[in-house]
Amino acid sequence: MNELHLSGEGLDEEIARAEVYGLLAQLYHAPPAPELLANLRVAVTEAPSAGGFLEEPWRQVVGAAREQTDARIADEYDALFGGVGKPEVLLFGSHYLSGFLNDKPLAQLRIDLARLGLTRDETAAETEDHIAYLCEVMRYLIAGDDVAVANLTQQQRFFAAHLQPWVDKLCDDLAAHPAARFYRSVADFTRAFMSVEAQGFDLVA
């Protein structure tokens, strides 16, 4: 991962959006790799315009990464999302939309992914409604080369159907969990970023 910026002069807004989705996918998929955390710790925290909506939550993520070791962050990830049995915090859309894993929301998601020409990596342990997978899909819909699929209309539809209805609930659960330190800041940043996304899509609706 290259040096991270929320935005910047000469940095295309679409590239910045895709990079944030890619970052969130990495943070939620597995304990962050040492290289990722090293880049976070030296990331730029000031937005070009002071007081930008994402500036403070982004600063908190960078600060939390600087305050904790790689091992502590990895242990926190495992405590929140891993372990034997039911995880402390579930990262799957079906859980929030229907109360059950592998339920109707996942079936509808698979239909929509097939329409986009996207298929699941059969080696992946997680189902497609995992927050990391959904963020990767959004990254592709923003930065992909196939303009028939990677376009604003598809982004808006996918976001409204498969992220917007539940992502705030996930962020609330994560931020409130007593074991969350680094991931509390990640949850707050996720909520802020998704809010910006929702407002942006509303403007073009």
Side-chain angles (χ1 to χ4, degrees), residues 109 112-113 116 118 128 133-138 141 152-165 201:
L109 170 61
D112 290 346
L113 289 171
L116 295 170
L118 300 175
E128 299 91 323
Y133 190 100
L134 298 175
C135 286
E136 272 297 310
V137 173
M138 285 298 297
L141 295 178
L152 189 59
T153 298
Q154 298 289 7
Q155 295 167 36
Q156 184 178 25
R157 288 175 179 170
F158 191 86
F159 181 86
H162 301 296
L163 272 168
Q164 189 172 9
F201 288 133

Side-chain angles (χ1 to χ4, degrees), residues 48-185:
S49 300
F53 186 68
L54 293 178
E55 184 174 18
E56 183 55 30
W58 174 247
R59 193 192 310 276
Q60 294 298 320
V61 172
V62 173
R66 291 172 179 170
E67 290 170 2
Q68 299 192 53
T69 64
D70 294 3
R72 286 185 64 183
I73 292 173
D75 287 345
E76 181 181 325
Y77 183 96
D78 290 338
L80 291 167
F81 312 124
V84 178
K86 183 179 178 181
E88 291 291 307
V89 179
L90 287 163
L91 297 173
F92 299 90
S94 291
H95 165 71
Y96 286 95
L97 293 172
S98 71
F100 300 95
L101 296 175
N102 303 320
D103 206 44
K104 291 181 180 179
L106 176 58
Q108 183 58 54
L109 170 61
R110 287 172 171 165
I111 292 171
D112 290 346
L113 289 171
R115 288 173 179 162
L116 295 170
L118 300 175
T119 57
R120 177 174 178 250
D121 180 357
E122 293 302 325
T123 65
E126 302 83 9
T127 51
E128 299 91 323
D129 58 336
H130 191 283
I131 183 67
Y133 190 100
L134 298 175
C135 286
E136 272 297 310
V137 173
M138 285 298 297
R139 185 187 66 81
Y140 171 73
L141 295 178
I142 296 166
D145 294 329
D146 184 356
V147 295
V149 174
N151 59 63
L152 189 59
T153 298
Q154 298 289 7
Q155 295 167 36
Q156 184 178 25
R157 288 175 179 170
F158 191 86
F159 181 86
H162 301 296
L163 272 168
Q164 189 172 9
W166 68 277
V167 70
D168 278 355
K169 297 175 185 176
L170 165 63
C171 292
D172 290 344
D173 286 352
L174 185 50
H177 197 284
R181 294 176 177 82
F182 173 73
Y183 274 93
R184 182 178 296 117
S185 67

Side-chain angles (χ1 to χ4, degrees), residues 5-69:
H5 299 259
L6 286 181
S7 59
E9 295 180 2
L11 179 64
D12 184 86
E13 182 180 350
E14 296 302 285
I15 294 175
R17 291 177 59 222
E19 286 183 345
V20 172
Y21 275 114
L23 171 64
L24 292 176
Q26 291 181 73
L27 292 173
Y28 284 115
H29 179 256
E35 181 183 4
L36 173 61
L37 291 173
N39 283 328
L40 272 179
R41 291 174 182 128
V42 298
V44 174
T45 57
E46 291 78 20
S49 300
F53 186 68
L54 293 178
E55 184 174 18
E56 183 55 30
W58 174 247
R59 193 192 310 276
Q60 294 298 320
V61 172
V62 173
R66 291 172 179 170
E67 290 170 2
Q68 299 192 53
T69 64

